[in-house]
Amino acid sequence: MIKVICVGKIKEKFFKEALEEYQKRLSKYTKLSIIEVEDINLNNEELIKQKESELILKHIDKKDYVITLEIEGKEL
């Protein structure tokens, strides 16, 4: 099973259509789950990261293999 965990709602039509297409293509091989967690709006950036990470971690099991997509992430 593949889980895609997003912070905030997926609003852009392009992303929704892309996710639907991937779900259709992957359905023969595995299940794809799209999870949208609440986008936290506070003044403190560190507190935002803490709260959002707690919401994300609720959906990740110890046995899961995690890949993150980050703006400042390292390209492999």
Side-chain angles (χ1 to χ4, degrees), residues 56-71:
I56 291 169
L57 289 172
K58 287 180 184 178
H59 298 282
I60 299 175
D61 298 325
K62 289 188 183 237
K63 65 180 176 17
D64 290 344
Y65 184 81
V66 177
I67 299 171
T68 63
L69 303 176
E70 304 174 37
I71 292 172

Side-chain angles (χ1 to χ4, degrees), residues 13-29:
K13 183 179 177 184
F14 168 80
F15 290 128
K16 286 183 180 183
E17 290 173 353
L19 285 170
E20 289 171 8
E21 180 65 23
Y22 281 118
Q23 280 180 315
K24 185 174 80 176
R25 290 181 184 202
L26 291 172
S27 66
K28 297 176 186 176
Y29 309 103

